[in-house]
Amino acid sequence: MTKQITNKTAHGVMVWDTEEKRSYLMTNDEAAKLEKEQSPTEEPAADKAKEKPKQKNTKTETTKKEETTDGE
């Protein structure tokens, strides 16, 4: 992958070419073709998403005792 899309605008797309070490403006149609060529190598976003661990109830033993005793 020698070309990377850096900025999308209304008039075109700025692309950085890593081989030539330069950036240039590409039309939206050309950029769409470039994205289609590069997309099969990437994995779907759903596979990359990791489930966040659920937060557990973390009350300490002292707070549990205070709640149950009510000043007895």
Side-chain angles (χ1 to χ4, degrees), residues 51-58:
E51 293 183 18
K52 294 182 180 179
K54 294 181 181 177
Q55 188 175 5
K56 297 179 181 178
N57 190 357
T58 58

Side-chain angles (χ1 to χ4, degrees), residues 10-69:
H11 302 290
V13 177
M14 287 298 298
V15 178
W16 175 255
D17 192 340
T18 55
E19 284 184 358
E20 297 179 15
K21 303 287 189 223
R22 69 182 190 106
S23 63
Y24 54 92
L25 188 66
M26 181 183 283
T27 64
N28 290 328
D29 295 334
E30 292 172 341
K33 291 177 186 176
L34 178 64
E35 284 181 330
K36 285 181 182 178
E37 291 174 2
Q38 293 177 353
S39 64
T41 59
E42 297 177 4
E43 295 178 10
D47 292 341
K48 290 183 180 180
K50 295 181 180 178
E51 293 183 18
K52 294 182 180 179
K54 294 181 181 177
Q55 188 175 5
K56 297 179 181 178
N57 190 357
T58 58
K59 291 185 179 180
T60 62
E61 291 180 24
T62 56
T63 56
K64 288 181 183 178
K65 288 179 183 177
E66 290 173 5
E67 289 176 358
T68 57
T69 57

